[in-house]
Each structure stands twice: as C-alpha cells, then as structure tokens.
Amino acid sequence: MSGNSITSNGLSRRHSGKDMGHNLIACGDKAVGEQPPSHVNNGQPSGEMSPPKPELASSAKVIILASCTCINFLCIGFAVGLGVVFVQILDVFNTTRALTSLMQSLCIGVIFSGSLICGPIVQKLGPGNSVILGGLLSLVGCVGASFAPNVEVLIITVGFITGFGMCFAHLSSYLATGSVLVKKKGMGVSLITAGAGLGAFISPQFNRLVLDAYGWKGTFLLLAGVNFNMCVLGFLIRCLTKPIYNMKTTPKDAEPKSLIKSLNLHLFKNVPYMIFLLCQPVIWCFYTGVVVFIVDVARTRGYDLEAASFLLSAITIAHVAGSLLGGMLDTVFHIRALISCSVSLVLCGLLSICFAFFSSYGVMITLAIGHGVLLAILDVSIPIVLFKMSDPASYSSALSYMFGLSGFSDIASGPISGAIRDMTGDYLLMFYLAGGVALVMGVVFLCLELWMRRRKESTSSETIDTKL
C-alpha cells in the first residue's frame, strides 16, 4: 500500500495583519505573524515580497492535527478492513480472487491515484470543504454497496465512489496538516500516518465482528454511518483553516492561475524527482498485494478467519509504531529520509522472502510486525523526500503525481497477485516478487542518495570557485 502519506506547504495566500486577526477571532483563535524565509515568499518570485504568514494558535493546531489523524484513521482503516470483507464476498458470489480483489485494490488505488483529479479541486475548495465532500461520497458509495447484486456493482460503489470520497478526505488531511505546521512537518506526517495505521489495525477486527452479527450488507451500511463522521471533521478543519485558505495577499494572487502553471510541469525536468517517482509504482505493485491478500494467505495455510484477520492487524498496529519511529528518524536523529527509504526496503524485501518459507503462525506474526514497522517508515519518509526534491510552491503537485502514479499500481496489484494465486495455487511467487523488487529499489535509492550528495558537493565547489 503506498504509503503512500504526506504534508503540504500550504499553497493558499495570506491576508495582512489586520484582516488576519479579524478572521482568526471569528474562529476563536489568535494569530501571530511569522516572516517567511528569505528564499521562499509564499511561492512568489524572489523579487516579490509577501506579507507575513499567520500562525494559528496552538489549540487550533492540535484540533486540526487530531482531525486529520481521525480522517486517516477512517480512510486507510476502511480500505485495509476490506480485506476481511473480501473473504466473505468471495464465498457469497463464488467469483475468482482476481475479480473480487479489484473491489479493495481499486479502492486503495483510487484513494491515491485519484489525487490527480482531486488535487486541483482540493486546492480550489480548500481542505475543509473537500473533506465534507469526501464524507458525502463515501456515504453514498457504502449505502449503494449494501444493495449490490454482484461483485461488479461492489467494484463500482466501493472501488470508485467510496474510493474517490476517501481520496478527497485523505489528500486534504495532509494538505491541512502541512499548511498549519510551520516547523516539524515530519513529525506531523508521522502522527497522521500513525492514525492511518491505528485505523488499519482496528478496522479488520471491527469488520469481523460486524460481519458475524449483520452480514456483509449490514457491514457496509454501518461503515456508511461511520464514514459520514468525516463531514464533522471537515467542518472543524474548514473553520480553523479559514484564516489561511480564504485569504489573498497581493493583487497577483487574485488573478486566476493558468492550468499549465498549476500543474508545475517543471517537476518533470527534475531528474532525482523523476527517478524517485518512477520507482514508486514498481514497489507498490506488489506490496499492496501483500496487504490485500494477507488474510487469504493465512486462510490457505489452514488458519481460521479470526487468526487470519489478526495477522492483518499485526501489520497495521506495527505500522503505528513504525510511523512514530519514522518521524523520529527525521526530526530527532536527523537521518536523511532517502537513506531511511533505502534501508527499510532492503530489510522489508528480506522479510517478504522469509514469508515464502515459513508458515508457522508465530513466525508469520513476527514477519507481519516487521513488515508493518518498515512499511510505515517508508510511508513517512516518502513525503519528506519529495519535500526535499521539490520547492514549496510545487510540493502539492509533486505529492499528487506520486500519489497518482503509485495509486495506479495499487489498482493493478490486487488483480496481479490474485491471478498469480489462481494460476499457481499459492502466494509464494507474490512474496518472491515483492521481496526481489524491494531489494532492487533499496539499492537504487541508496545510489540516488549518493549521486545527489555528489552533485550537491560539485555544485557547491563550482559556486566557491566562481566567487573566487
């Protein structure tokens, strides 16, 4: 699952001090003006100065961060929890794994790849309104799923409609977090990513209990009501981020931004960014399949649904700890994010290959916990790497492209892994492919880090020589 998890630099412009204070008081918060760094002027050209940025009160930041954490809890928890529902849907409609898995893999993929479509809309509406829109779409999708007569309708309602609703909410949560956190963005990412991991831990067990009590139709109806709570969270974010997202600072900001400029196509000339971007779909094409099919893997090895679903929960609860660890690696230990990505992938690749050789439940639980921690570190490190490779004004676009490309691999991951299981009769090849790809990509990221360091040193030397 791509972790795919992210921050934003807050692309919207800010008002001057008087208007800023007035709007913050309307939301019950105080603001303190903060002068932006000399090399970044709210995305403006270097010669054009912008008024100071407002900084929200600590209480407002806490509420926004908590709301964004809850949003990720609901979005990723819903998507991962479908792995338990998948098993019952497979039995009820008696279809192939490749087709049935498309319900979950499409939902996961649309949450990320949908950012290519949802990104410009989120920037236009603001994160609060976008979360409300996402909550409404997820409500409609889950209610429609409860009346589905076949798997194809489930793919449309759960995969497309609910997936797009989750995409609006998921992307907005990262943009809102990044825009209100002036410092320690890495720690903010780790906290909301931990919320996603916590949701992914609780959701499989919750879905298992609800399935036993109400069946799959009742489960989707109940999930519709749970997801509708995102509208409340969206309203909180809308109110508290109003001073940031509803302001213009210069006459130039009032001018509509052309579509070409808003796409930030110059990113595709950034060689390190392009290498890092193109590696994402290769990684997640197989690792999303591991998360989607881990319950079925345990079932095929002779374990009941309760034990199998706990295996998925082990991955996800370890993801919470790994998210916090990933944030500490960046903000406390100051380890470069690309190095964290490289080491995590190499270790994760080795664990994936071990999954093919060991079927003991205790060993599988241990390997699942290791996967959860390492994938979480990768999830936290990826947006930090993107922030370093891009500039603040284009970070939102860099994030959307990464989400979009990795999302398409999420969509393909389920059918590919399911087809492997249908053709070979087991999941061994899936683990071999996931492990082999992770090992190769870990080496690629290490080489990329070394190349970037060497290029930076070379550039610095040339600059010194020129000054001399």
Side-chain angles (χ1 to χ4, degrees):
M1 180 171 41
S2 37
N4 306 98
S5 307
I6 324 301
T7 60
S8 167
N9 60 305
L11 296 178
S12 299
R13 309 297 191 242
R14 279 76 166 166
H15 263 316
S16 59
K18 182 177 180 180
D19 294 335
M20 177 184 67
H22 173 75
N23 282 297
L24 283 176
I25 292 172
C27 277
D29 293 297
K30 298 180 181 179
V32 179
E34 177 177 307
Q35 185 66 33
S38 58
H39 64 286
V40 178
N41 293 322
N42 282 351
Q44 302 286 353
S46 57
E48 183 177 339
M49 298 300 295
S50 299
K53 296 180 182 180
E55 182 176 351
L56 300 181
S58 298
S59 58
K61 291 182 179 180
V62 170
I63 294 173
I64 292 172
L65 187 59
S67 299
C68 293
T69 302
C70 291
I71 289 170
N72 272 267
F73 177 96
L74 294 173
C75 291
I76 304 302
F78 174 83
V80 174
L82 290 175
V84 176
V85 183
F86 161 83
V87 176
Q88 189 168 115
I89 296 298
L90 192 65
D91 295 335
V92 170
F93 293 105
N94 194 26
T95 58
T96 64
R97 286 175 172 82
L99 178 62
T100 308
S101 66
L102 195 58
M103 174 188 68
Q104 183 180 15
S105 61
L106 188 62
C107 181
I108 295 174
V110 169
I111 287 176
F112 297 105
S113 64
S115 61
L116 295 173
I117 299 173
C118 300
I121 300 176
V122 171
Q123 291 190 38
K124 180 68 175 179
L125 297 179
N129 291 330
S130 299
V131 172
I132 294 173
L133 176 60
L136 293 173
L137 286 175
S138 62
L139 172 68
V140 172
C142 287
V143 171
S146 65
F147 297 98
N150 51 51
V151 173
E152 287 78 8
V153 175
L154 284 174
I155 292 172
I156 295 173
T157 54
V158 177
F160 275 109
I161 300 177
T162 306
F164 268 110
M166 296 296 182
C167 177
F168 276 110
H170 178 261
L171 180 60
S172 299
S173 68
Y174 285 100
L175 295 178
T177 299
S179 65
V180 300
L181 290 181
V182 179
K183 299 179 181 179
K184 296 185 178 180
K185 293 181 184 291
M187 187 56 68
V189 174
S190 67
L191 289 175
I192 61 176
T193 305
L198 186 61
F201 166 70
I202 294 176
S203 184
Q205 301 303 322
F206 175 79
N207 287 356
R208 179 180 60 82
L209 296 175
V210 176
L211 279 170
D212 292 340
Y214 302 108
W216 66 272
K217 292 186 177 182
T219 298
F220 279 120
L221 279 176
L222 189 57
L223 290 175
V226 172
N227 292 338
F228 189 60
N229 285 283
M230 286 192 293
C231 293
V232 178
L233 299 173
F235 181 79
L236 288 175
I237 294 173
R238 179 180 182 272
C239 176
L240 295 177
T241 59
K242 187 176 180 181
I244 297 176
Y245 284 92
N246 283 10
M247 296 183 178
K248 305 292 181 182
T249 57
T250 67
K252 185 175 180 180
D253 293 325
E255 299 176 4
K257 195 174 182 180
S258 69
L259 178 60
I260 299 299
K261 289 184 178 180
S262 65
L263 293 177
N264 291 302
L265 297 179
H266 68 276
L267 287 169
F268 297 107
K269 297 180 181 180
N270 185 332
V271 177
Y273 170 75
M274 287 302 300
I275 294 175
F276 190 76
L277 179 67
L278 294 176
C279 288
Q280 299 305 313
V282 181
I283 296 170
W284 300 111
C285 187
F286 298 103
Y287 268 105
T288 301
V290 173
V291 177
V292 170
F293 288 104
I294 192 65
V295 175
D296 197 44
V297 168
R299 287 287 301 274
T300 57
R301 293 183 177 182
Y303 301 102
D304 59 23
L305 181 60
E306 181 177 359
S309 61
F310 187 76
L311 197 64
L312 177 60
S313 295
I315 293 179
T316 54
I317 193 61
H319 196 280
V320 177
S323 299
L324 299 176
L325 177 60
M328 292 177 63
L329 291 176
D330 175 67
T331 58
V332 178
F333 300 105
H334 304 292
I335 297 176
R336 294 180 68 88
L338 199 52
I339 294 294
S340 298
C341 287
S342 176
V343 174
S344 298
L345 282 171
V346 170
L347 295 177
C348 204
L350 294 174
L351 293 182
S352 297
I353 294 174
C354 290
F355 244 121
F357 291 98
F358 299 97
S359 58
S360 169
Y361 190 73
V363 176
M364 290 174 65
I365 285 290
T366 303
L367 294 174
I369 292 173
H371 270 81
V373 172
L374 294 171
L375 290 176
I377 295 174
L378 184 63
D379 282 344
V380 173
S381 300
I382 285 175
I384 299 175
V385 172
L386 291 177
F387 188 80
K388 301 292 184 181
M389 289 181 172
S390 60
D391 57 271
S394 61
Y395 179 61
S396 179
S397 296
L399 193 62
S400 296
Y401 293 139
M402 189 280 295
F403 270 158
L405 200 57
S406 60
F408 287 118
S409 65
D410 290 335
I411 295 173
S413 179
I416 290 174
S417 300
I420 290 174
R421 167 63 175 82
D422 291 334
M423 290 187 295
T424 63
D426 55 51
Y427 288 101
L428 297 182
L429 183 57
M430 179 187 72
F431 287 119
Y432 287 137
L433 290 173
V437 166
L439 290 172
V440 173
M441 291 298 104
V443 174
V444 170
F445 286 169
L446 178 60
C447 294
L448 179 60
E449 170 66 21
L450 296 176
W451 177 62
M452 290 174 62
R453 286 188 182 184
R454 184 173 181 180
R455 191 175 70 163
K456 183 178 180 180
E457 292 173 357
S458 177
T459 303
S460 300
S461 299
E462 291 177 1
T463 302
I464 294 174
D465 293 339
T466 302
K467 289 182 178 180
L468 292 176

